[in-house]
């Protein structure tokens, strides 16, 4: 308990502060270029759900990876790394 109390750090994330002004507004959220990566072999979030998310909040671009599961960064790290670099170059 003593160690936990010594490690407490003040934070700006207090409920009172968050209730006054939201950081997530339509203008702010829409100002970022979003890209959605569909993992067609995902068994955690099936493709139908992923397509629903895309339809509900359309990104600028959708990229599908056939046969790739939920943890694309582990199973296809080179492919996703190259694609993330393409995104960074395309949407500076």
């Amino acid at each position: 308990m003593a160690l936990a109390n010594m490690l407490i750090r003040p934070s700006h994330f207090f409920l009172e502060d968050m209730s006054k002004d939201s950081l997530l507004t339509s203008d702010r959220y829409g100002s970022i270029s979003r890209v959605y990566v569909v993992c067609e072999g995902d068994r955690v979030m099936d493709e139908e759900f992923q397509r629903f998310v895309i339809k509900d909040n359309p990104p600028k671009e959708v990229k599908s990876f056939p046969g790739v599961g939920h943890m694309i960064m582990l199973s296809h790290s080179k492919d996703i790394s190259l694609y993330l670099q393409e995104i960074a170059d395309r949407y500076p």
Side-chain angles (χ1 to χ4, degrees):
M1 184 66 139
L3 177 59
N5 284 327
M6 288 173 40
L7 296 175
I8 292 176
R9 300 281 188 265
S11 173
H12 66 280
F13 289 113
F14 294 106
L15 293 177
E16 301 84 33
D17 294 338
M18 293 176 72
S19 67
K20 292 178 187 170
D21 186 28
S22 176
L23 298 174
L24 301 175
T25 64
S26 296
D27 291 336
R28 288 182 179 175
Y29 186 69
S31 67
I32 302 297
S33 297
R34 295 179 312 280
V35 175
Y36 195 99
V37 174
V38 175
C39 298
E40 294 180 8
D42 193 338
R43 293 187 297 185
V44 175
M45 291 178 22
D46 67 6
E47 188 177 349
E48 181 180 345
F49 177 74
Q50 293 180 68
R51 298 292 177 187
F52 168 77
V53 170
I54 291 166
K55 184 179 178 190
D56 190 45
N57 193 5
K60 287 208 182 266
E61 183 178 331
V62 176
K63 171 77 170 179
S64 290
F65 284 87
V68 174
H70 188 71
M71 298 296 287
I72 188 172
M73 65 291 255
L74 297 177
S75 63
H76 291 77
S77 56
K78 182 176 180 182
D79 296 332
I80 193 65
S81 295
L82 292 172
Y83 184 59
L84 291 173
Q85 185 60 56
E86 287 178 31
I87 293 169
D89 292 341
R90 195 171 313 136
Y91 304 106

